[in-house]
Amino acid sequence: MLVNATKMLQDAKAGHYAIGHFNINNLEWTKAILTTAQELNSPVIIGVSAGAAKYMGGFKTVANLVKNLDEFLGITVPVAIHLDHGTYEGAKACIEAGFTSVMFDGSSLPLEENLAKTRELVELAHSKGVSIEAEVGAIGGTEDGITADGEVADPEECKKIVDCGIDFLAAGIGNIHGIYPANWTGLHIDALHSINDATGNIPLVLHGGTGIPDAQITAAIKEGISKINVNTDCQLVFAQATIDYCAAGKANPTDDNKSKGYDPRKLLKPGYDAIKAKVKEKMELFGSVGKAC
Ligand code: 13P
């Protein structure tokens, strides 16, 4: 059931759990995430970056793929189709293309410009029933050219962007996309506490969900994180499962002409199963299992 992400995230915040946002890259990923959410009776957010959407055939193709799969697979749990780290133009295009949720990432813009564009997009998104996430610029992060720690958002700036009317806020608390460096110092739970205090009841978003120790995820949820974005973890398990299948010679041509392990439906199956297992593990950790109503 396609919905915007507002209610599922408000419920998560009130219930002290988080909804997984899982990025998609193709049909297999989309099916794996949707079917796992259904099996676990969990709401879910299907995220797509502009780059992945371009690879998959554009925003309309992605919106229609998710909608049609949702219908074909008989998915009844709440599913939001969400633009990840959108530009101003990208967010507008996704609202037009039938996404139910968008992120406008104006964090690299001067604050006043970010606020003005966010305000404008909030109005447009809400006029179409679409939920909207935004992000403010951040401080810290790189020292002597070495990024060992993610950026930490300023609570006052967070409050300003929340006042633009957004539905959920991405706030840096030391998190980083991709694989964390060995000398990463961990999430700044104290900073999250201040941001949560400054922004009231709005659901907060944790990007860079891959590789954060479970205890820190649990602590972050306790301090107001209600949406956790995961991409690299699914990429890693998908790649490894495919590598193992090929390394075992299962994709090689065979004499019997029966097994046909090179058939793409067979070749991609181990990766599909691996994503399902990873999504299940994350939903259990985030506490969203059984929360679809
Ligand atoms: P990871 O790739 O680190 O899991 O982060 C995903 C993300 O934050 C997408 O916005």
PDB file of all heavy atoms in Angstrom, residues 31 149 163 201:
ATOM      1  N   LYS A  31      11.930  -5.865  -5.201  1.00  0.00           N
ATOM      2  CA  LYS A  31      11.121  -7.030  -4.800  1.00  0.00           C
ATOM      3  C   LYS A  31      11.571  -7.571  -3.444  1.00  0.00           C
ATOM      4  O   LYS A  31      10.738  -7.921  -2.601  1.00  0.00           O
ATOM      5  CB  LYS A  31      11.295  -8.152  -5.838  1.00  0.00           C
ATOM      6  CG  LYS A  31      10.211  -8.183  -6.874  1.00  0.00           C
ATOM      7  CD  LYS A  31      10.529  -9.164  -7.987  1.00  0.00           C
ATOM      8  CE  LYS A  31      10.350 -10.624  -7.594  1.00  0.00           C
ATOM      9  NZ  LYS A  31      10.561 -11.535  -8.744  1.00  0.00           N
ATOM     10  N   ASP A 149      35.374  11.492  11.033  1.00  0.00           N
ATOM     11  CA  ASP A 149      34.139  11.642  11.772  1.00  0.00           C
ATOM     12  C   ASP A 149      33.151  12.389  10.874  1.00  0.00           C
ATOM     13  O   ASP A 149      33.542  13.275  10.121  1.00  0.00           O
ATOM     14  CB  ASP A 149      34.440  12.485  13.021  1.00  0.00           C
ATOM     15  CG  ASP A 149      33.363  12.317  14.069  1.00  0.00           C
ATOM     16  OD1 ASP A 149      32.472  11.475  13.884  1.00  0.00           O
ATOM     17  OD2 ASP A 149      33.428  13.043  15.075  1.00  0.00           O
ATOM     18  N   ASP A 163      10.958  24.596  11.156  1.00  0.00           N
ATOM     19  CA  ASP A 163       9.912  25.627  11.101  1.00  0.00           C
ATOM     20  C   ASP A 163       9.447  25.931   9.670  1.00  0.00           C
ATOM     21  O   ASP A 163       8.452  26.622   9.482  1.00  0.00           O
ATOM     22  CB  ASP A 163      10.395  26.913  11.784  1.00  0.00           C
ATOM     23  CG  ASP A 163      10.445  26.746  13.306  1.00  0.00           C
ATOM     24  OD1 ASP A 163       9.856  25.766  13.811  1.00  0.00           O
ATOM     25  OD2 ASP A 163      11.086  27.578  13.977  1.00  0.00           O
ATOM     26  N   ASN A 201       8.844  17.388  18.375  1.00  0.00           N
ATOM     27  CA  ASN A 201       8.372  16.028  18.090  1.00  0.00           C
ATOM     28  C   ASN A 201       8.653  15.520  16.695  1.00  0.00           C
ATOM     29  O   ASN A 201       8.178  14.457  16.325  1.00  0.00           O
ATOM     30  CB  ASN A 201       6.862  15.971  18.338  1.00  0.00           C
ATOM     31  CG  ASN A 201       6.602  15.365  19.700  1.00  0.00           C
ATOM     32  OD1 ASN A 201       7.453  14.649  20.230  1.00  0.00           O
ATOM     33  ND2 ASN A 201       5.449  15.668  20.264  1.00  0.00           N
TER      34      ASN A 201
END
